[in-house]
Amino acid sequence: MSFKLSFSAIVLLLVVSSCRGRLEKHGELFADMMKNEDGLFRGVNIGDDPDQVQRAEGIAPSDFNQNVYSYDGSIGESGSYTIRYGFENGKVYEILVSATFDENAEGLNMLNGFRDYYNEVYGLYEKEGGYLVWKTKSNSGNPDVMIEMVDESEFSDFGQFSLSMYHQLPPAKQVPLNQ
């Protein structure tokens, strides 16, 4: 019995470390921020309920109401972040992330980690108005999602970036003007 328990523990440890290793190839700060490969971000998908957000985060929100859960934390040697999960009808409809770094290089490393990871998972980004944009297509019944990321460092003396994920609405149906 002891052998089976030890073997199971070793297998679980290897699985967890291999997932972590896949994230860490995009940088340690990225891996710390992303936490795991499940979901769109930190184990959360658009359409999840508040309980899933709390399970994924593993801690109580720093601020919350029925429409928004906010989480604040520090990352790396000089960084801080805020993650806001917006809810509509009891389901996540947007995830907003902002991170600020006193060390501009740390912010750039994290930005590059997200860019490379989302390129790997969702294909090469498009550039739209200074934003890097990924448009996902879901086969699992989850809504299609738009991911937008921007480096805001040029507007400040420190490294700063924002990441937005939200339900991608279908394109508006074009109606000819002469009808």
Side-chain angles (χ1 to χ4, degrees), residues 40 44-47 92-95 118 122 133-138 142-148 164-169:
L40 182 64
V44 177
N45 283 304
I46 300 299
V92 174
Y93 77 92
E94 70 177 351
I95 304 169
Y118 284 133
Y122 301 112
V133 177
W134 294 266
K135 297 174 184 173
T136 72
K137 296 291 181 199
S138 176
N142 290 329
D144 294 345
V145 173
M146 177 94 70
I147 303 169
E148 298 178 335
S164 304
M165 294 156 264
Y166 53 90
H167 177 72
Q168 179 181 328
L169 297 174

Side-chain angles (χ1 to χ4, degrees), residues 1-31:
M1 181 78 158
S2 167
F3 173 74
K4 287 182 182 178
L5 185 59
S6 297
F7 181 73
S8 297
I10 290 170
V11 168
L12 180 62
L13 183 61
L14 289 172
V15 167
V16 169
S17 66
S18 71
C19 287
R20 180 81 178 160
R22 285 193 298 262
L23 290 176
E24 284 181 345
K25 80 177 187 179
H26 299 292
E28 189 174 322
L29 290 176
F30 165 78

Side-chain angles (χ1 to χ4, degrees), residues 137-168:
K137 296 291 181 199
S138 176
N139 295 327
S140 63
N142 290 329
D144 294 345
V145 173
M146 177 94 70
I147 303 169
E148 298 178 335
M149 185 172 68
V150 65
D151 180 359
E152 300 173 18
S153 301
E154 67 181 271
F155 304 112
S156 62
D157 294 334
F158 44 86
Q160 185 173 4
F161 89 97
S162 297
L163 182 64
S164 304
M165 294 156 264
Y166 53 90
H167 177 72
Q168 179 181 328

Side-chain angles (χ1 to χ4, degrees), residues 102-137:
D102 292 336
E103 302 279 331
N104 200 14
E106 278 190 313
L108 188 57
N109 285 341
M110 180 175 284
L111 183 83
N112 290 338
F114 273 99
R115 181 201 61 212
D116 295 345
Y117 177 78
Y118 284 133
N119 277 344
E120 183 179 292
V121 173
Y122 301 112
L124 189 61
Y125 64 84
E126 298 174 19
K127 273 201 147 183
E128 293 181 12
Y131 288 81
L132 305 184
V133 177
W134 294 266
K135 297 174 184 173
T136 72
K137 296 291 181 199

Side-chain angles (χ1 to χ4, degrees), residues 16-126:
V16 169
S17 66
S18 71
C19 287
R20 180 81 178 160
R22 285 193 298 262
L23 290 176
E24 284 181 345
K25 80 177 187 179
H26 299 292
E28 189 174 322
L29 290 176
F30 165 78
D32 288 346
M33 180 65 92
M34 193 67 159
K35 288 176 69 170
N36 65 58
E37 291 182 82
D38 296 335
L40 182 64
F41 179 75
R42 296 172 73 93
V44 177
N45 283 304
I46 300 299
D48 285 350
D49 62 37
D51 292 338
Q52 174 58 32
V53 171
Q54 288 192 3
R55 279 191 303 275
E57 287 295 336
I59 59 173
S62 53
D63 188 27
F64 69 95
N65 61 46
Q66 72 181 32
N67 298 319
V68 177
Y69 285 12
S70 293
Y71 294 86
D72 297 309
S74 59
I75 191 156
E77 293 186 23
S78 71
S80 62
Y81 64 84
T82 298
I83 303 167
R84 294 174 44 102
Y85 297 94
F87 297 95
E88 190 172 86
N89 300 318
K91 302 290 183 190
V92 174
Y93 77 92
E94 70 177 351
I95 304 169
L96 306 173
V97 182
S98 61
T100 304
F101 294 88
D102 292 336
E103 302 279 331
N104 200 14
E106 278 190 313
L108 188 57
N109 285 341
M110 180 175 284
L111 183 83
N112 290 338
F114 273 99
R115 181 201 61 212
D116 295 345
Y117 177 78
Y118 284 133
N119 277 344
E120 183 179 292
V121 173
Y122 301 112
L124 189 61
Y125 64 84
E126 298 174 19

